[in-house]
Amino acid sequence: QVTTTVEPSLQVAPYACQRRTPLDHPHSALVMALETLAEAALFEGEEARGLAFTRAASVLRCLPRALRGTHELSGLPGIGAHSHRVLQEVLEDGVCVEVETVKQSERYQTMKLFTQIFGVGVRTADRWYREGLRSLGDLRSHGTRLTREQQAGVQYFEDLAVPVGQAEAESLVCLVLDATAHLLPNASVTLAGGFRRGKPCGHDVDLLLSHPEEGREVGLLGSLVAWLGEQDLLLYQHSSYSTAAEASSSCRALDRFDRCFTILRLVLPTAGTRVRAWRAVRLDLVVVPHSQLPFALLGWTGSRHFERELRRFARHEREMVLNSHGLYDMRQGTFLLASSEEEIFQHLGLDYIPPTLRNA
Ligand code: ATP
Ligand code: MN
Ligand code: MN
């Protein structure tokens, strides 16, 4: 008996928040090529070009099966002429000359190194590059002026360059749960960020703190930071508190929660003879009023591209403004409430995408 299998053509929705994007996919070489060019464009301050490559990479991440060949690219949204060229080259030759050239370049390698330092963005990295600096050693020997944050970033660079693993993330959750149980009984601690999306490792751990009785969470950040300090676990911290004035001002790109970016001393399981029984890890703490928790959870779970697409979809397709605090319907002139992430997707008229499928 002869059977013919007809492969359905690849159907991809235009917005990443309409798509299910798992962590693992069969196009890692293609995605890496495009994401390298995206990164290189951002290093040159070319946001739009960077976004175009990021969009194309994100489309490849969500494909339900491997591409059969270049001909299948034409039906996909968001693949511009340049991305198409790069993908064709990788599909046909295994590598793309432009990508390899970028990766080898002193500019790309140095910008990658500098922007990896905690507290260093593209503009600072670019300034240092133009001053002729090329390495961490150069920063030290030239007596480059560093902010307190950057000093910590350089000091703990080697530790922070090692990704945080799942076991380490769990031990940080336990640590913070322990502390909050003493400081504010019934407070909740929720893991967000890449770990919530199922990533096996990440550059930091993102935790949202809240309390079922709205208002009880006020002051928690200060006492938690003080507690971590007393335990001698805080290597660096930078807190910002939402003031009443800020909280009442209208939608901003950055959210206004009490939050703290830290570098913690993570105590490692003792191996008897080990001399140094700790390592530095990055932990982000965000304190959220209970009524905003679903919005904060959605906003802090990522990926960054998934978030960007959710907000773009809300604005352009629904005339709504979404951020980590709430969802505003511009046509009705009202805020839409939600008690779960599912309800936010419902308000937006989107199929629910679970965290593990938000790796756009
Ligand atoms: P990794 O695993 O490498 O940490 P990640 O996806 O967890 O990756 P983060 O930089 O930790 O990346 O950010 C997690 C999420 O939190 C992102 O989706 C981002 O949109 C959100 N986020 C991060 N910083 C802020 C901020 N200052 N204000 C608002 N949202 C933020
Ligand atoms: Mn993270
Ligand atoms: Mn983070």
Side-chain angles (χ1 to χ4, degrees):
Q1 195 184 343
V2 180
T3 54
T4 13
T5 0
V6 178
E7 277 293 341
S9 65
L10 292 163
Q11 302 277 333
V12 176
Y15 289 88
C17 58
Q18 297 170 302
R19 313 191 289 245
R20 302 163 73 80
T21 311
L23 203 53
D24 296 313
H25 58 82
H27 297 108
S28 49
L30 299 177
V31 166
M32 241 178 331
L34 292 174
E35 289 185 346
T36 302
L37 295 182
E39 198 180 21
L42 294 180
F43 289 163
E44 302 318 311
E46 297 171 28
E47 311 270 329
R49 223 161 63 83
L51 188 55
F53 287 125
T54 301
R55 286 224 173 100
S58 177
V59 165
L60 290 172
R61 283 180 178 275
C62 84
L63 298 183
R65 62 163 171 80
L67 283 168
R68 292 278 133 76
T70 318
H71 63 281
E72 286 196 309
L73 291 173
S74 51
L76 301 175
I79 313 271
H82 196 157
S83 293
H84 192 285
R85 244 181 6 252
V86 171
L87 294 172
Q88 184 159 12
E89 215 178 310
V90 179
L91 283 168
E92 288 169 4
D93 308 340
V95 287
C96 166
V97 174
E98 185 187 359
V99 175
E100 296 311 305
T101 307
V102 163
K103 281 201 292 195
Q104 299 300 316
S105 70
E106 187 173 40
R107 169 73 180 175
Y108 174 81
Q109 290 179 4
T110 309
M111 289 296 286
K112 197 162 172 71
L113 172 73
F114 286 163
T115 54
Q116 204 194 325
I117 303 170
F118 175 58
V120 178
V122 167
R123 284 169 63 175
T124 304
D126 176 60
R127 193 177 71 241
W128 290 346
Y129 186 87
R130 285 186 285 108
E131 288 170 6
L133 306 173
R134 295 292 182 269
S135 65
L136 296 188
D138 288 349
L139 291 178
R140 292 183 177 118
S141 64
H142 284 66
T144 308
R145 285 182 61 153
L146 302 175
T147 63
R148 201 173 62 88
E149 192 180 26
Q150 292 162 354
Q151 277 173 35
V154 170
Q155 184 176 355
Y156 301 111
F157 183 84
E158 285 76 16
D159 272 5
L160 299 184
V162 177
V164 181
Q166 244 155 16
E168 292 177 316
E170 274 161 34
S171 75
L172 282 178
V173 173
C174 287
L175 173 76
V176 173
L177 266 173
D178 248 22
T180 51
H182 289 104
L183 300 168
L184 181 66
N186 288 327
S188 64
V189 176
T190 312
L191 185 62
F195 286 107
R196 185 160 182 257
R197 302 198 307 276
K199 278 177 64 176
C201 58
H203 94 286
D204 70 354
V205 174
D206 306 284
L207 297 181
L208 303 187
L209 311 178
S210 190
H211 191 282
E213 263 176 76
E214 184 130 349
R216 296 285 304 278
E217 80 285 352
V218 174
L220 177 57
L221 190 66
S223 51
L224 180 57
V225 168
W227 184 89
L228 290 168
E230 283 158 21
Q231 308 292 311
D232 197 25
L233 297 174
L234 263 189
L235 298 170
Y236 170 86
Q237 70 95 7
H238 172 93
S239 306
S240 43
Y241 293 91
S242 70
T243 62
E246 270 180 356
S248 65
S249 78
S250 61
C251 301
R252 300 236 164 269
L254 285 183
D255 58 45
R256 305 170 302 271
F257 298 116
D258 285 3
R259 70 157 121 248
C260 185
F261 298 132
T262 73
I263 298 176
L264 279 203
R265 181 198 300 276
L266 179 67
V267 178
L268 301 170
T270 41
T273 55
R274 211 202 308 258
V275 180
R276 183 169 161 277
W278 61 273
R279 83 168 188 104
V281 291
R282 281 264 301 107
L283 170 71
D284 287 343
L285 296 166
V286 187
V287 176
V288 181
H290 192 251
S291 62
Q292 298 175 24
L293 194 52
F295 296 97
L297 191 54
L298 182 59
W300 280 81
T301 295
S303 68
R304 275 175 194 279
H305 187 60
F306 190 88
E307 302 298 331
R308 185 162 44 220
E309 291 280 281
L310 262 179
R311 290 165 197 211
R312 191 168 70 93
F313 178 88
R315 184 172 279 280
H316 293 289
E317 305 298 325
R318 299 291 184 258
E319 290 184 55
M320 294 181 185
V321 181
L322 174 70
N323 62 23
S324 293
H325 296 272
L327 179 62
Y328 183 75
D329 185 329
M330 293 190 284
R331 277 177 293 192
Q332 294 181 24
T334 54
F335 283 95
L336 303 174
L337 303 181
S339 57
S340 66
E341 284 183 319
E342 282 87 340
E343 278 183 43
I344 304 173
F345 281 86
Q346 268 170 31
H347 284 316
L348 290 166
L350 284 170
D351 286 342
Y352 178 67
I353 310 285
T356 53
L357 296 176
R358 295 181 202 161
N359 290 291

